Amino acid sequence: MKIEITPEEMLERFKLYGEIYLLLAPVCEYDDMDDFGIESYEIIDELDLEDEIFVLADGDEVRFKGVEFTEDMLYILYTNEYGFEEYAHPVIHLETESIRKVKSILEQYVKAISHE
């Protein structure tokens, strides 16, 4: 997969990845983040959202299905518009704006579950 972005944008993506990691580390119930994940229905239920969450992946709007840490990398889970197949992309391969959106949603989620 060829990624056509500037070094500055790639640095921004890694920075956002680090911020998401630090955001989720306190709510992880394991000794490390490997295999830790949050599914979209948990976020939608906790935040009382009426609609599903959509982000951009490879230039297409896709249905956000959650996040998962595997071997120290954060993967964004999503389905195509038909919802038949689930995909997982390393967070740094998604559009920067999508990473920001996922981070914002996760911030709201962590804040909500921390107040329970």
Side-chain angles (χ1 to χ4, degrees):
M1 169 189 245
K2 185 176 180 183
I3 302 173
E4 296 182 17
I5 62 172
T6 65
E8 292 80 14
E9 190 169 2
M10 183 56 85
L11 183 61
E12 174 70 12
R13 291 178 184 189
F14 273 103
K15 179 179 176 255
L16 289 166
Y17 162 71
E19 290 171 357
I20 293 171
Y21 188 98
L22 292 173
L23 173 70
L24 295 179
V27 298
C28 177
E29 298 158 357
Y30 309 122
D31 291 337
D32 62 23
M33 295 291 278
D34 204 30
D35 294 328
F36 174 71
I38 300 170
E39 295 189 39
S40 62
Y41 75 84
E42 297 173 79
I43 296 168
I44 291 168
D45 289 350
E46 186 64 42
L47 298 179
D48 260 348
L49 300 176
E50 294 180 19
D51 296 323
E52 294 179 328
I53 302 164
F54 291 90
V55 296
L56 287 177
D58 297 326
D60 296 323
E61 187 174 65
V62 296
R63 203 173 271 108
F64 173 74
K65 299 303 284 182
V67 297
E68 177 180 277
F69 284 90
T70 304
E71 298 177 7
D72 295 323
M73 178 50 69
L74 173 64
Y75 287 86
I76 305 298
L77 309 174
Y78 63 90
T79 61
N80 59 13
E81 63 182 295
Y82 307 108
F84 297 128
E85 295 183 45
E86 188 169 290
Y87 301 92
H89 261 1
V91 68
I92 59 168
H93 288 196
L94 292 181
E95 286 84 345
T96 306
E97 207 46 51
S98 292
I99 301 169
R100 286 187 188 114
K101 183 174 183 177
V102 168
K103 179 184 173 220
S104 174
I105 292 165
L106 291 171
E107 285 173 333
Q108 295 171 49
Y109 174 76
V110 168
K111 184 177 180 179
I113 64 172
S114 297
H115 286 99
E116 290 183 349

